[in-house]
Amino acid sequence: MTVPVEMYALTCGEITISYPSLRSTETGMLRVPVTSYLIVHPHGQVLFDSGMSPQIYDNYDDYVPEYAKKDRQFHFGPGEDVAARLQKAGFDPTAVDLVVNSHLHHDHCGGNSLLPNADILVQGRELDHARKQPDDTMAYRKADFETGQHLRTLDGEHDIFGDGALVCVPTNGHTPGHQSLRVSTEAGTWFLCGDACYLTASLDDLVLPLNVTDSASTLTVLENLQAMRNNGVHVLVGHDPEFWKTVPQAPDRIA
Ligand SMILES: [Zn+2]
């Protein structure tokens, strides 16, 4: 028997970044959405990724180093952070019980502190890796994930409520401890990939991003995602502007 869960999509700003960094065969720049999902389960409210920190719009010049301004631009302002998006859709950010971070890059955990009563579920490998990185790489920023919230570290697959409805699944490659979230509802199975796959096109042809840290693992994950999709799983890719236009936004439900 499947558990009744509801799933909602939230857009938390956009970033313009180099297209080849998403897909090596492209050129130029691409404006992509920063995505987050709320899943309402009978035993708790779970957020998958929390978008970017309001520090970006409060203090853009300090937050974004000069070199980073050359290859990215943030489109993110008040009203677009995850707490504001939740409130606008009729949800209470203080009612979120858990945040699952796919990984700890700044566009996936920057809103953690806006969910003050949530514990954070992250793979231990990811946290270890993130803590070793300098703060100025424009990838990991300690202020985003060292928030004082309880960091519950996982070691591999984890069934959040023990009923199979929400399962964290390691999908490392993009980062050493990247994870995705499998959501099983009465209506089917969804796989929230995070940055394990940025664009739908890459599910079709397995073209990798330029300069991935671990191309073998990234490709294996992509092949698994492709197989899942071919078996009827709804694979929700991380940063695809065209795909994202087809996803209903909260307060409308995905599932
Ligand atoms: Zn990302």
Side-chain angles (χ1 to χ4, degrees), residues 4-237:
V5 300
E6 298 171 8
M7 181 162 61
Y8 302 88
L10 305 151
T11 308
C12 302
E14 295 179 320
I15 312 177
T16 297
I17 46 174
S18 117
Y19 205 162
S21 73
L22 303 169
R23 193 169 151 78
S24 61
T25 51
E26 305 291 342
T27 56
M29 306 288 282
L30 186 68
R31 182 166 172 156
V32 303
V34 173
T35 62
S36 172
Y37 298 87
L38 177 72
I39 299 111
V40 181
H41 180 284
H43 294 151
Q45 294 194 14
V46 179
L47 194 78
F48 180 73
D49 283 341
S50 64
M52 299 185 281
S53 168
Q55 283 181 30
I56 291 179
Y57 58 71
D58 284 343
N59 206 350
Y60 192 88
D61 284 335
D62 276 358
Y63 190 92
V64 185
E66 282 308 315
Y67 79 87
K69 288 176 187 162
K70 294 193 186 78
D71 67 1
R72 83 198 65 200
Q73 193 189 350
F74 293 96
H75 316 279
F76 181 56
E80 295 179 302
D81 61 75
V82 72
R85 288 299 197 204
L86 285 167
Q87 278 166 331
K88 202 171 162 201
F91 296 102
D92 176 2
T94 68
V96 174
D97 300 291
L98 289 172
V99 175
V100 175
N101 286 136
S102 61
H103 61 305
L104 296 175
H105 282 167
H106 64 92
D107 57 325
H108 294 262
C109 69
N112 282 9
S113 68
L114 304 174
L115 298 315
N117 298 319
D119 282 0
I120 312 300
L121 284 182
V122 62
Q123 292 288 328
R125 287 175 64 168
E126 181 67 13
L127 184 61
D128 290 347
H129 174 73
R131 282 179 165 157
K132 287 185 200 129
Q133 305 309 307
D135 243 16
D136 62 356
T137 62
M138 216 39 240
Y140 292 103
R141 306 184 65 101
K142 290 183 185 64
D144 290 338
F145 58 88
E146 302 285 18
T147 59
Q149 287 161 290
H150 185 205
L151 291 159
R152 287 161 54 177
T153 55
L154 307 178
D155 181 17
E157 200 163 295
H158 175 70
D159 183 343
I160 295 177
F161 294 115
D163 55 14
L166 300 180
V167 180
C168 299
V169 181
T171 42
N172 43 286
H174 174 66
T175 63
H178 191 283
Q179 64 181 349
S180 300
L181 184 67
R182 188 173 65 229
V183 180
S184 302
T185 78
E186 293 134 325
T189 301
W190 278 259
F191 200 80
L192 283 48
C193 314
D195 286 353
C197 180
Y198 294 122
L199 301 167
T200 303
S202 304
L203 277 183
D204 296 328
D205 58 18
L206 305 177
V207 169
L208 296 187
L210 201 64
N211 304 325
V212 285
T213 28
D214 182 345
S215 54
S217 302
T218 305
L219 182 60
T220 303
V221 165
L222 214 46
E223 286 168 346
N224 291 341
L225 293 172
Q226 186 185 57
M228 267 184 225
R229 186 192 59 174
N230 294 344
N231 285 323
V233 173
H234 305 280
V235 175
L236 299 173
V237 297

